[in-house]
Amino acid sequence: MNDLVRQHTALSESDLEWLHLLVSEWQLLSDLSFADLVLWVPTLDGTRYVSVAQMRPNTGPTSYQDDMVGHLVPRGRRPLLDAALDEGRIVREGDPEWREEVPVRVESIPVRREGRVLGVIARNTNLLTVRTPSRLELTYLQSASDLAQMIAAGAFPFAGEVVDMDSSPRAGDGLIRLDADGIVQYASPNALSAYHRLGLAADLVGQHLGQITAELAPSRGPVDEALVKLASGYAPREAEVEGNGGVIQLRAIPLKPKGPRIGSLVLLRDVTELRRRERELITKDATIREIHHRVKNNLQTVAALLRLQARRMDSDRGREALNEAVRRVGSIAIVHETLSQNLDERVEFDEIADRVIAMVAEISPGRVTCRRVGRFGILDAEVATPLSMVLTEVLQNALEHAFAPGEQGTVEVAAVRGEPRADARLLITVQDDGRGLPEGFDPQRAGNLGLQIVRTLVEGELGGTFDMRPGAGRGTKVVLDVPVRPQK
């Protein structure tokens, strides 16, 4: 719609925002009218109309099989559009049109904003299935007529009210029609069922909806006056009401077709099961986060015990082995700590990589610089946990074996992530400028425990590849190629 309005019309950005607000609301008008809606706006030179939006009803058959958005028609071809635009009134005169052997009643509703007519809504009703209307259909049609008059007067949609149409109740979910005093004139079967879910034992018709709703919603103090006003339809508002184990979502729409409020529409939806599932998910998420938190605490306890044991070791080799175990446990604990702070089982691995680099760099303070370039991005926990251990082992190996005691150097961790596809891969290189590999060294057969861990995790658990080769010029280069998604 933005492109069509800016290309073909003289409407301002504020006018365009008004049309967006209208289009966000007009599913309600379409459903209440049992009709298709097409929004026509006059072109810049005033000789044609361009259709910028279209809506089909959920409550009846469509009268347009094709998409009308983007069509241009010359002024004069559709007299009802001309009359509505020029006279600023709803135009219903004329015989039904026949489209592919289907009779269609066409009406034109001017769209007014601040005294100016911006465009015209063509309301097209398929008459093929017309029958004697029920009370529900009559209420729908009367409400649609009131809303159409409000659009023509510039009183609907309500300026400043933002409605999420994906979650807001619709006409078919449940509809209540109130008079000016808030007394129920009509309640659809779905609306009555929703109030029965709250604990209402009687009929709604003839009751004051605001007072009934406040009585059904438990409160510890005086009657909630705000809830009474909302359910009475005095102002456009949305709220949820909970009682008797049920939850309903309410949306009030004041009806002012001729200025003063003559009544209100209240749309409602029974969201009891939806809220129950949401609470279960929140509880589940909280439980999972707590589990990760406790696992992290347990791992830190294990690391502390290993560190304490290392201090008591007389053997340098034994002490170093325990310190390596401390770092391995610590890398896993970092992942669980991050997971304990998230709502899902995914982590921002760049933060984890930086913490692992800082942790491993402690074994060579002041002489070797470690840095990261590139981004790992967000990874599933099933990938992040083994990858953190792999990164720990590779860095630990580089810092221990690439440089002589007291020698200065650099270790760089580079990450390149592939395109965001199901088969995307992550290429990681760890490059040092140290002494390089011993002659005849084969990383695929080396008995070093750290390299055995790397091979097992990369090839077995992550489904990737691992290679260690001489670097460009000097040093050693470790290349890890792993899938971004966990292997099934």
Side-chain angles (χ1 to χ4, degrees), residues 142-427:
Q142 180 58 53
S143 302
S145 177
D146 293 337
L147 286 178
Q149 292 183 58
M150 290 171 64
I151 291 173
F156 187 83
F158 302 108
E161 185 191 19
V162 179
V163 179
D164 183 358
M165 294 308 297
D166 291 333
S167 61
S168 185
R170 299 191 178 189
D173 297 324
L175 179 142
I176 297 175
R177 174 90 184 207
L178 308 178
D179 66 12
D181 297 321
I183 305 300
V184 178
Q185 295 179 310
Y186 175 79
S188 71
N190 284 347
L192 190 58
S193 297
Y195 266 83
H196 286 166
R197 189 76 176 263
L198 290 182
L200 179 69
D203 194 2
L204 273 174
V205 176
Q207 304 275 5
H208 189 283
L209 187 65
Q211 295 175 0
I212 286 290
T213 304
E215 291 171 3
L216 293 172
S219 61
R220 298 174 183 170
V223 173
D224 189 343
E225 294 296 333
L227 182 58
V228 172
K229 289 184 177 180
L230 183 146
S232 300
Y234 289 116
R237 294 286 187 275
E238 284 196 37
E240 285 190 2
V241 179
E242 184 170 358
N244 194 40
V247 184
I248 62 173
Q249 185 180 10
L250 297 177
R251 182 191 177 198
I253 302 173
L255 297 176
K256 305 175 181 179
K258 297 182 180 179
R261 188 175 67 86
I262 64 167
S264 305
L265 278 183
V266 177
L267 306 178
L268 64 153
R269 175 191 295 164
D270 184 346
V271 293
T272 305
E273 293 304 317
L274 178 62
R275 296 296 176 260
R276 181 185 64 80
R277 290 196 297 270
E278 287 178 351
R279 287 166 184 163
E280 288 179 352
L281 288 174
I282 290 173
T283 303
K284 179 182 177 182
D285 288 340
T287 302
I288 292 173
R289 288 199 300 273
E290 179 62 22
I291 290 172
H292 285 303
H293 181 70
R294 294 189 182 188
V295 170
K296 181 263 296 184
N297 288 344
N298 290 339
L299 290 171
Q300 288 180 337
T301 300
V302 171
L305 292 172
L306 291 173
R307 196 177 292 111
L308 182 63
Q309 185 65 42
R311 294 195 188 105
R312 295 175 176 269
M313 291 287 294
D314 295 329
S315 167
D316 290 341
R317 291 187 62 186
R319 187 182 305 110
E320 183 55 36
L322 287 176
N323 286 331
E324 286 183 2
V326 168
R327 288 189 286 272
R328 288 166 184 152
V329 172
S331 66
I332 303 175
I334 290 172
V335 177
H336 283 281
E337 181 181 3
T338 306
L339 287 169
S340 70
Q341 301 168 2
N342 291 348
L343 294 176
D344 55 15
E345 291 289 287
R346 309 190 75 200
V347 295
E348 177 61 66
F349 197 79
D350 294 308
E351 177 186 349
I352 293 174
D354 291 340
R355 293 180 62 181
V356 166
I357 291 171
M359 178 183 67
V360 177
E362 292 176 359
I363 68 177
S364 58
R367 61 187 179 89
V368 178
T369 302
C370 297
R371 62 171 179 261
R372 172 180 63 87
V373 297
R375 293 193 70 252
F376 290 84
I378 296 175
L379 298 176
D380 292 342
E382 298 171 73
V383 175
T385 301
L387 187 58
S388 68
M389 283 197 66
V390 168
L391 191 58
T392 300
E393 296 298 331
V394 172
L395 287 170
Q396 196 166 262
N397 190 71
L399 292 173
E400 286 182 356
H401 302 295
F403 305 97
E407 182 182 2
Q408 293 186 345
T410 302
V411 178
E412 181 179 274
V413 179
V416 178
R417 186 160 178 161
E419 293 295 325
R421 300 182 317 216
D423 59 347
R425 302 186 72 83
L426 183 62
L427 182 65

